[in-house]
Amino acid sequence: MTLPKGFGSGGGGGSSSADVERMIGRRVENMTGMITISYWAALLATFGGTAAGYFYYPWAYPTASGHFAFIVLAIIEAIGYIFCVKVMEEGSNKNSNGIVGGSIAATVAFVIFVTMFVGR
Amino acid sequence: MAQMPALIPKEVEIQRLKKIWLIVIAMGSTAASVEVDNFVDGSLHQTSIRDSAFTPAHWWLYSHFVALPLGWGSAAIYDRKVPVLRGPNNSMNTGLKMTILGYLATMFTIGVNEMWHFWFVEEIFAVPNHWMFNMGVVVAFMGALAYVVRVYARLVELGAETPGENPYVAEMYKMALEGKLYSRSIP
């Protein structure tokens, strides 16, 4: 197969597996760590957003509404997180069920903690 | 579809399509979040009628209306690395164009909306300044659906995904792989 400029053996048109690896860069099945960090960043940002609502604008956004929004958004983000990891790892030998399970369990604990003890 | 020649190695294309898929899932979650905020914002307006641009429901709604066109824009930047997703005349994919334009319309409408409410302090759902929020989102959803189906169908074509077991869905994939499902104007 003819490869883009800069790849291959210089005019021969042949492609080696090293060239293919170089075109791919970081493989998606190795992105679980980055996906997990992004998920937690999104979840904490969501908490920050709803907390700013019920701490600074309680007249507009009572704590119960903030908690409800936080729960629903946490569910949406968790589903997206699970999809991301499972789709990226399918077809490979990678298996991050432990990380995903731990992350989701920690999310559940965090959401329950926030809804029970954080607010005004 | 099926007649489109592969211009990059199959393994590279699968990896790139999956990286696009990551952005798609993130944007889908963001769009779902916007739909939740539609209810929150509507609920708030039933209580306090017109408030300001900076109440929490508006932070949520408006920040996402900024994030969505930027996020889909990042998909458009990366999308150039997958030849099969190019639009007419090697331009941006038509579905992506519609998505970005739709969300840009909602972004623009934030300004229109705030200007309207400077004079008219009400919060009636059907007033004209709200129209383009909804029209923009509808255009964006149509474009995103076309793009998502295209990416997924290509993953099926490359053998990276298995078509659904539902016979109606399986028939759709079969037609897609034969190039009979989509308009030629949305390649």
Side-chain angles (χ1 to χ4, degrees):
Chain A
M1 173 177 287
T2 307
L3 292 174
K5 206 157 75 174
F7 294 95
S9 53
S15 60
S16 66
S17 62
D19 283 320
V20 169
E21 287 304 312
R22 207 150 61 85
M23 288 176 76
I24 289 172
R26 180 183 280 273
R27 301 181 72 88
V28 289
E29 53 265 34
N30 296 330
M31 289 182 170
T32 304
M34 198 171 68
I35 294 168
T36 304
I37 291 169
S38 305
Y39 163 69
W40 275 100
L43 191 73
L44 293 175
T46 305
F47 166 70
T50 52
Y54 51 72
F55 281 129
Y56 291 99
Y57 287 87
W59 53 270
Y61 214 21
T63 298
S65 293
H67 285 165
F68 176 64
F70 182 53
I71 293 167
V72 173
L73 290 169
I75 292 170
I76 290 173
E77 287 165 11
I79 291 171
Y81 169 58
I82 295 169
F83 274 171
C84 281
V85 175
K86 297 306 284 185
V87 172
M88 292 314 120
E89 292 188 347
E90 69 182 350
S92 75
N93 295 325
K94 287 268 178 178
N95 183 339
S96 299
N97 290 344
I99 295 173
V100 173
S103 214
I104 295 299
T107 301
V108 171
F110 178 58
V111 170
I112 290 175
F113 174 78
V114 167
T115 50
M116 290 185 75
F117 300 113
V118 182
R120 58 189 294 174
Chain B
M1 305 210 12
Q3 67 271 28
M4 177 74 76
L7 300 173
I8 51 178
K10 180 179 166 184
E11 182 64 15
V12 174
E13 187 168 355
I14 289 173
Q15 289 279 323
R16 289 181 180 175
L17 287 168
K18 285 192 171 184
K19 285 174 187 172
I20 289 173
W21 205 244
L22 278 177
I23 306 177
V24 164
I25 293 172
M27 291 299 101
S29 299
T30 310
S33 163
V34 164
E35 292 310 309
V36 173
D37 189 55
N38 275 339
F39 291 101
V40 173
D41 193 48
S43 169
L44 177 60
H45 286 313
Q46 285 189 337
T47 311
S48 66
I49 314 299
R50 183 60 197 172
D51 33 48
S52 81
F54 298 105
T55 49
H58 286 158
W59 299 350
W60 184 353
L61 197 63
Y62 292 171
S63 63
H64 285 69
F65 279 153
V66 174
L68 281 164
L70 293 178
W72 281 107
S74 72
I77 291 170
Y78 193 75
D79 172 273
R80 294 181 299 176
K81 290 178 169 233
V82 184
V84 79
L85 293 178
R86 301 308 302 170
N89 295 320
N90 200 26
S91 66
M92 191 194 297
N93 183 284
T94 308
L96 268 181
K97 270 182 212 157
M98 287 174 65
T99 312
I100 293 170
L101 286 175
Y103 283 133
L104 278 178
T106 60
M107 204 171 161
F108 173 71
T109 312
I110 294 172
V112 172
N113 185 54
E114 293 309 316
M115 196 163 71
W116 168 279
H117 287 304
F118 180 80
W119 287 293
F120 303 108
V121 186
E122 43 65 39
E123 203 56 64
I124 298 166
F125 184 74
V127 290
N129 52 306
H130 292 161
W131 294 355
M132 210 159 64
F133 277 127
N134 303 303
M135 291 192 290
V137 166
V138 167
V139 169
F141 278 14
M142 288 196 298
L145 183 64
Y147 185 68
V148 164
V149 169
R150 185 71 190 83
V151 171
Y152 190 72
R154 181 63 175 164
L155 281 168
V156 170
E157 192 177 19
L158 292 171
E161 289 286 339
T162 311
E165 289 179 7
N166 180 315
Y168 298 101
V169 176
E171 179 67 16
M172 276 177 59
Y173 283 123
K174 184 166 167 286
M175 288 172 69
L177 293 178
E178 291 166 358
K180 294 174 182 168
L181 189 58
Y182 309 116
S183 157
R184 284 188 175 277
S185 63
I186 306 180

